[in-house]
Amino acid sequence: MQIESARWQLTAWNEEQALAAAQAGLPGPAEAEAFCGLVAWIDGKPAGWALCPASRGRRAGLLWEPGRLEAQEQQTLLKALIRQESEKGRKLLTLDLPWREQGFLALEQVGFRPWFTTSHMIYRGALLPEPNLPFFPYDDSYYRPFQRLQSRAFFRLRQENDVEPYVLAPSIEDRLWLAQNRRNVFLLKVQGRLAAAGFAAKGALDMLAVDQAFQGRGYGKALVAYGVNRLLERSETPRLEALDWNKPALGLYRHMGFELEQRRQLLRLDL
């Protein structure tokens, strides 16, 4: 797709365009070949770009670099990409950006709307008191209990924030990912039942979940402490993120020494 004028041009993203954008000082995605989209040129130089994953899934996370484009030029670029993705059968586009109080006018004018806000937090402290609980590493025999625990733990969060599917279904992809990352997934059984689980690797704490039947017993605090300590032992700085909607979790993380590093806003566009 190309839209041209005396000073303005849109061209398809490819390796040559990615190189030109980098030479013009525009930051690009780490894996440029995994995306397709459009580059906006002004006066013969790349001035901004908008990309989506090259796969044809119904939902896609948009990457956007407005560069030195003015508001109207940003809208022209975004509308062209939206039209391109709609023709591919996309039904939902999302865009994750640093939160700002004044909003994102150019994005909202082409149909994006705020979805939810997340707090990205960092831990800069020392080792936490080690939980006196028998955490153990994941293995494939725990896939279904783990999957059910995650689905139940995050059902209300997903439902109230309209994150579909509300109920997480088993999948081959998730099972394979867990098998590949089993040493970084830790579980806790209580009375013969999977009570809690989490993930800690490459500085990230994630998938922290406590079964509803076992909440209020300090297992959430123990999960965080156990994960933080495993990361610190590998000289990794612990980080995590949580929806601002989840006030209890944010309160727990702050109580345990996490500090706010950045807030981010997720926008959505239903096609």
Side-chain angles (χ1 to χ4, degrees), residues 5 37 41 44 105 213 234 244 252:
S5 68
W41 295 66
L105 184 60
R234 299 194 289 262
D244 283 9
L252 172 64

Side-chain angles (χ1 to χ4, degrees), residues 22 32 35 44 46 51 64 74 85 97 99 109 114 123 153 170 174 184 195 212 218 228 236-237 241-242 244 254 267:
F35 296 90
L51 309 175
W64 181 54
Q74 293 176 23
E85 296 304 306
L97 295 170
W99 182 88
Q109 289 182 339
Y123 180 83
D174 286 346
N184 299 317
Q212 291 180 348
V228 163
E236 298 171 11
T237 301
E241 64 179 90
D244 283 9
R254 293 191 189 98
L267 309 178

Side-chain angles (χ1 to χ4, degrees), residues 154-173:
F154 293 105
F155 172 80
R156 183 165 169 260
L157 178 150
R158 298 175 73 88
Q159 183 182 52
E160 295 198 12
N161 290 278
D162 193 23
V163 180
E164 295 183 332
Y166 304 150
V167 177
L168 299 175
S171 75
I172 294 175
E173 292 80 6

